[in-house]
Amino acid sequence: MKVAKANSKEKIFSYVLYRKRYYPIIPIIIEGRERTVVHALVDSGAAISLFHTSIADDVGIDLEDAEQVYLAGIGGYIRAYVKKQVKVSIEGLRRITVPIAFTEYIASDIAILGRQGFFEAFEIIFREWEKKLIIRLRDI
């Protein structure tokens, strides 16, 4: 995964080849009792971030008190557990708190980074013709 740092307030990510196509996938750090790096697809069509339940287990996020919801997508409805205050960061930019829905009905090797919390904290620029994603800090 190629990351170019334009300045201290933005990062430029090259799209990543995943399942024979290029996608805006970035490394993010998720925190619970532990921390780990997760590769996440930046998805402007997703209202909320969606991670596999194994990631919650890996970092020590307890889903026992999470809100159980059913999320609608192209494939129908899936059961998920929403934690409203999860700390994530893009290395070198900012640590933010976002809601994340955890489910077993998503591939465990990729997460989806949706709009809530994330798109409010950053300016997100998709440059499809260059296969690049630019993430800039916003003054919030």
Side-chain angles (χ1 to χ4, degrees), residues 5 7 11 19 23 25 30 37-39 43 45 68-69 98 104 107-108 120 127-128 134 139:
K5 189 170 184 179
N7 61 49
K11 280 198 171 191
R19 296 184 181 174
Y23 294 96
I25 296 172
I30 180 171
V37 175
V38 175
H39 292 91
D43 186 353
Q68 183 176 316
V69 298
V98 299
E104 57 196 40
S108 60
E120 289 95 357
R127 286 196 178 161
E128 288 294 317
I134 300 169
D139 294 326

Side-chain angles (χ1 to χ4, degrees), residues 63-83:
L63 297 179
E64 289 293 320
D65 63 348
E67 176 187 2
Q68 183 176 316
V69 298
Y70 288 87
L71 301 174
I74 292 174
Y77 290 91
I78 61 167
R79 185 180 63 229
Y81 302 91
V82 176
K83 292 294 275 195

Side-chain angles (χ1 to χ4, degrees), residues 17-65:
L17 184 62
Y18 177 75
R19 296 184 181 174
K20 299 181 182 180
R21 293 188 61 197
Y22 285 92
Y23 294 96
I25 296 172
I26 64 169
I28 63 167
I29 299 166
I30 180 171
E31 297 179 37
R33 288 188 303 274
E34 305 288 330
R35 296 167 39 135
T36 194
V37 175
V38 175
H39 292 91
L41 169 69
V42 178
D43 186 353
S44 64
I48 191 168
S49 297
L50 191 63
F51 287 44
H52 194 273
T53 52
S54 65
I55 295 169
D57 292 338
D58 290 347
V59 298
I61 295 174
D62 183 9
L63 297 179
E64 289 293 320
D65 63 348

